[in-house]
Amino acid sequence: MKNINSIFLIIFTLFGCEEVIDWPVASDEIRLVVEGRITNELKTHQIKLTETADYFNPAAPTPVEGATVIVFDGDNNIPFVESSPGVYQSSPFAGEVGRTYDLSIRLASPLAKETDFTASSTMLLPASLDSMSAVNDIYNEDDPEEIPVVFTRLAFWGVGNLDQENSYMAEVYVNDQLETDTINNVIVFGDDFIGEEFTDFAFYDIDEPSATGGDSITLVMHVVENEFVDFYDQLLTESELRDPFGLSSPPANVSTNISGSALGYFYVSSVDTVHAFVQDDLQ
């Protein structure tokens, strides 16, 4: 009887009262975040400037307006003009392989007591893509205990450049709509993963609603500096769901090539593009 009373006491203690615990979260000093890319495509290039925000703040980041943004290509200064709040765009131009592009940002008002920020990135030789296939297939088709999953498997053929230190980032478009539009969908890999030639390398599965037979698939392959892949890997790790009670590794600052206290990344990339139409192979 004494044991039974003890059990009821424990149950009452655990579930009979409720206490709201305020979890203190320190607010860091507001800092600049830079998102910028230049490619060898003839187009308008863009650099986005925002402020950091508290982790639990659901609002969109505050744009940084009124900044002076210039990219120096070794010969000329290329101005980036603010086209909308926090978004700075160039006149159309194509980046050139072998050039180093130096980014300079001067803020109208300081963030973290700083107004001037710089970054630098060099454009490397592009990959040479030859062709690509896109085939609809099914996971778990012959397993009665699993739910079949329809997906689109992409494979491409081409040649990389092992005579330079570089990595690769692939963007996938379905009917001209970007499919790899979130950090979890971006495809990044290095030379040690592919070797000198890309051969029948199936590397991307598209969810069932995204691609059907006859849909157009476009693969845009970016050649980037290895440091950008380090940035991406760290960003992906820090953006994944973590256990707030200590079972996850502690969060850490993501590497950046922006000077001072700023976050984000500025990089240049050479690109090559290949197209295919989705083939159904579901029988």
Side-chain angles (χ1 to χ4, degrees):
M1 188 66 180
K2 185 183 294 185
N3 291 337
I4 293 175
N5 289 336
S6 298
I7 292 172
F8 278 122
L9 177 61
I10 293 171
I11 292 174
F12 177 78
T13 302
L14 292 176
F15 300 104
C17 59
E18 185 175 294
E19 180 182 356
V20 177
I21 300 175
D22 292 327
W23 194 286
V25 179
S27 295
D28 194 10
E29 193 172 21
I30 295 175
R31 296 191 280 173
L32 176 68
V33 179
V34 180
E35 302 173 59
R37 178 173 79 186
I38 292 173
T39 73
N40 60 341
E41 302 163 288
L42 178 59
K43 66 178 186 180
T44 297
H45 302 279
Q46 178 175 292
I47 295 170
K48 184 178 179 181
L49 305 181
T50 57
E51 296 179 357
T52 56
D54 288 342
Y55 182 82
F56 293 107
N57 187 350
T62 300
V64 175
E65 302 180 56
T68 300
V69 180
I70 296 174
V71 171
F72 180 63
D73 68 359
D75 292 323
N76 304 293
N77 284 323
I78 304 170
F80 280 66
V81 180
E82 191 168 13
S83 58
S84 61
V87 177
Y88 299 79
Q89 294 185 328
S90 69
S91 298
F93 77 96
E96 297 180 27
V97 171
R99 282 188 181 269
T100 296
Y101 292 83
D102 297 315
L103 170 65
S104 173
I105 299 170
R106 172 162 291 180
L107 304 184
S109 301
L111 290 176
K113 302 177 182 178
E114 295 180 274
T115 57
D116 293 88
F117 303 87
T118 60
S120 182
S121 184
T122 301
M123 186 169 293
L124 303 172
L125 290 168
S128 179
L129 299 181
D130 177 65
S131 59
M132 179 178 68
S133 68
V135 180
N136 280 344
D137 205 343
I138 303 178
Y139 278 133
N140 304 323
E141 182 178 12
D142 300 321
D143 190 341
E145 297 182 358
E146 299 290 341
I147 300 175
V149 177
V150 178
F151 67 96
T152 304
R153 180 180 297 278
L154 305 185
F156 63 90
W157 294 264
V159 179
N161 294 288
L162 293 185
D163 56 345
Q164 64 184 12
E165 292 290 332
N166 62 247
S167 296
Y168 301 88
M169 180 182 71
E171 294 178 328
V172 177
Y173 292 79
V174 179
N175 297 325
D176 296 327
Q177 296 295 315
L178 181 62
E179 181 72 15
T180 52
D181 57 352
T182 64
I183 185 67
N184 293 323
N185 288 334
V186 174
I187 308 156
V188 174
F189 50 92
D191 275 331
D192 56 343
F193 187 62
I194 60 171
E196 183 176 355
E197 293 187 1
F198 309 115
T199 56
D200 193 19
F201 179 35
F203 70 98
Y204 188 71
D205 298 338
I206 301 176
D207 293 338
E208 180 179 359
S210 300
T212 59
D215 281 349
S216 170
I217 302 289
T218 301
L219 172 68
V220 181
M221 185 69 72
H222 295 258
V223 175
V224 295
E225 295 173 304
N226 293 333
E227 290 78 10
F228 174 76
V229 176
D230 295 336
F231 163 79
Y232 164 79
D233 287 341
Q234 294 174 38
L235 183 62
L236 181 61
T237 298
E238 294 305 318
S239 65
E240 290 178 342
L241 182 63
R242 290 180 172 273
D243 176 11
F245 299 103
L247 297 181
S248 299
S249 59
N253 290 332
V254 176
S255 63
T256 176
N257 68 341
I258 313 296
S259 67
S261 62
L263 303 174
Y265 211 89
F266 166 74
Y267 69 99
V268 299
S269 64
S270 57
V271 304
D272 196 11
T273 303
V274 67
H275 307 273
F277 291 97
V278 177
Q279 304 294 318
D280 278 318
D281 189 20
L282 304 179
Q283 285 75 27

